[in-house]
Amino acid sequence: MEPIINNTMRVKRMNQELVREALRNMRQGTKSMVAEATGLSLATCRNILYELLSTGELIELDLEESNGGRPAQMYMYNVNFANIACIMVKAGVTVHSLTFSVVNLAGESIEEGYQEVEHMNEELIYELTDRLILKYPRIRALGIGVPGAVHQGVINSCDIPNLIHVNLVAPIQEKHKVEVILDNDMNLTVYGLYQRRGYHERKSLIVTTFIEGSLPGAGIMIDGHIHRGNSHFAGEVAFLPFGLSHAEQYRQLHNRNTFHSLAARAVSSLIAVMNPETIALTGDLMKPGDVELIRNECLKYIPELHMPHLILLDNPDEDYMCGLIKMTLESLSYSLQLVEKRR
């Protein structure tokens, strides 16, 4: 009988999420409007609406204006029912930084903050998490972006050496009983760019970054989905077989005489393997005019027919935070019903 029970619960959760999503999109609506938007029966919608009302996830509004018949009850999704917190971990040449944002379920900012640290480690991230959850007890999920490769909650390569081999997910989940999302900064940046540019179709998009003090990396969207790879190593272009050590790569990328050639080899490799529609180039090593220079270098390897649109991404941190917020909100799809366990 257990598989049947599990399947029943799964269907119920899916239906609840359909109702949530419908009301989030409509802002407010009646039972009939929700049923039409979701394809669920009126009876199913009524039961789910009552359940969400009982937890405070929905707000009951006034009756709709009558068109001659009996006016129906209006409902609105309570975007302040819960919060999420997002933390961007960034590597710098001399100092590192933590940027955070606490938002509601509509992604509207409640508090933002920034701090620079000379010696970054996991304890600083835990301290910030503790402080935010203490101040905002409605936080139900935490998103963390890091400049490195992440697999099964563990950072296995990183531009901040103190974070290598650190499992950031399990300690926070165990202590605070919240959803925790940990992902690579470039995955989050390309996802944020995809969302902010309104790519509704299944486009292929890459963001490649060339940052002072670090080796390059890339975030990849293929047909509308983040491509992480088997062990979440996709996009680590510094490991391409250039025939150069990481130290020599670093030297050439930080030398204006060799930067464009090496950057173009990395970009050309991504084009040949992924064949994206657009590649966004970013990072403080990128200067005005570099996009065209890199494009011309790429044409030495890639036929014009297959060259993607190359653009310069001026404010990648906005896309980074957008991607982190979107992904963290998505992690709450089935977990809001567990809210009462933390009260």
Side-chain angles (χ1 to χ4, degrees):
M1 293 295 291
E2 185 175 352
I4 297 176
I5 295 174
N6 288 341
N7 187 57
T8 301
M9 288 301 299
R10 191 157 48 244
V11 171
K12 181 179 180 180
R13 290 177 180 181
M14 290 173 62
N15 290 343
Q16 286 177 330
E17 191 57 31
L18 286 172
V19 172
R20 288 190 183 103
E21 186 64 21
L23 280 170
R24 281 195 291 259
N25 292 336
M26 289 188 292
R27 298 294 183 180
Q28 61 184 49
T30 65
K31 176 179 62 179
S32 295
M33 293 166 65
V34 171
E36 183 178 353
T38 61
L40 300 174
S41 69
L42 287 172
T44 298
C45 288
R46 180 184 64 246
N47 292 336
I48 294 174
L49 289 171
Y50 288 163
E51 289 174 2
L52 298 181
L53 272 172
S54 69
T55 64
E57 197 172 345
L58 294 187
I59 297 172
E60 199 171 59
L61 302 177
D62 295 332
L63 298 177
E64 70 171 344
E65 293 185 10
S66 175
N67 293 319
R70 181 179 179 181
Q73 182 69 56
M74 296 288 290
Y75 302 95
M76 180 176 71
Y77 191 77
N78 181 8
V79 297
N80 295 310
F81 175 69
N83 303 133
I84 65 165
C86 295
I87 300 173
M88 299 192 319
V89 183
K90 295 192 66 179
V93 179
T94 56
V95 295
H96 307 307
S97 66
L98 293 170
T99 303
F100 74 84
S101 182
V102 178
V103 305
N104 65 15
L105 296 178
E108 299 165 340
S109 177
I110 297 171
E111 183 182 350
E112 298 175 352
Y114 172 84
Q115 68 181 89
E116 293 185 345
V117 294
E118 188 173 349
H119 302 290
M120 180 73 72
N121 56 44
E122 66 270 29
E123 293 303 324
L124 293 172
I125 300 171
Y126 295 149
E127 289 171 10
L128 177 56
T129 298
D130 291 346
R131 179 162 59 85
L132 292 176
I133 292 178
L134 178 64
K135 186 174 181 179
Y136 300 99
R138 288 183 177 271
I139 288 175
R140 303 294 178 240
L142 176 72
I144 305 173
V146 294
V150 177
H151 184 51
Q152 296 181 346
V154 178
I155 304 168
N156 48 60
S157 68
C158 190
D159 293 335
I160 303 174
N162 286 343
L163 295 181
I164 297 175
H165 304 312
V166 171
N167 186 334
L168 284 177
V169 174
I172 296 173
Q173 284 182 331
E174 291 170 6
K175 182 174 183 178
H176 296 291
K177 304 299 185 289
V178 297
E179 297 288 322
V180 180
I181 299 299
L182 178 67
D183 212 331
N184 169 265
D185 55 352
M186 297 312 302
N187 288 342
L188 296 164
T189 301
V190 74
Y191 190 56
L193 178 62
Y194 195 89
Q195 296 287 337
R196 294 182 73 211
R197 293 290 177 99
Y199 286 103
H200 299 300
E201 300 177 17
R202 294 195 168 194
K203 302 290 186 180
S204 294
L205 172 70
I206 295 175
V207 175
T208 308
T209 187
F210 301 96
I211 302 175
E212 184 179 0
S214 301
L215 291 170
I220 303 167
M221 294 279 292
I222 300 296
D223 294 334
H225 300 283
I226 297 176
H227 178 68
R228 294 184 174 86
N230 178 57
S231 60
H232 291 208
F233 193 67
E236 296 296 326
V237 294
F239 290 85
L240 286 167
F242 295 124
L244 305 172
S245 66
H246 280 178
E248 180 59 20
Q249 279 191 59
Y250 183 94
R251 188 192 70 78
Q252 290 193 23
L253 286 168
H254 289 71
N255 184 326
R256 294 299 294 172
N257 294 323
T258 51
F259 169 73
H260 304 98
S261 175
L262 186 55
R265 289 164 67 187
V267 172
S268 296
S269 297
L270 291 168
I271 295 170
V273 174
M274 298 299 176
N275 191 25
E277 177 187 273
T278 301
I279 294 184
L281 305 174
T282 189
D284 44 22
L285 291 178
M286 292 289 300
K287 307 299 180 185
D290 280 354
V291 172
E292 189 61 27
L293 291 171
I294 291 173
R295 185 180 191 280
N296 290 335
E297 283 290 321
C298 287
L299 287 172
K300 296 178 180 179
Y301 311 103
I302 304 295
E304 176 78 42
L305 174 65
H306 307 297
M307 277 295 296
H309 182 45
L310 296 187
I311 63 172
L312 181 65
L313 195 60
D314 292 321
N315 298 300
D317 283 358
E318 295 180 7
D319 296 300
Y320 185 177
M321 182 57 82
C322 173
L324 188 53
I325 289 172
K326 291 283 189 182
M327 194 175 295
T328 307
L329 284 172
E330 288 167 7
S331 76
L332 285 177
S333 292
Y334 292 138
S335 63
L336 282 176
Q337 62 192 297
L338 304 177
V339 118
E340 294 300 322
K341 294 184 178 181
R342 290 191 63 230
R343 290 183 175 175

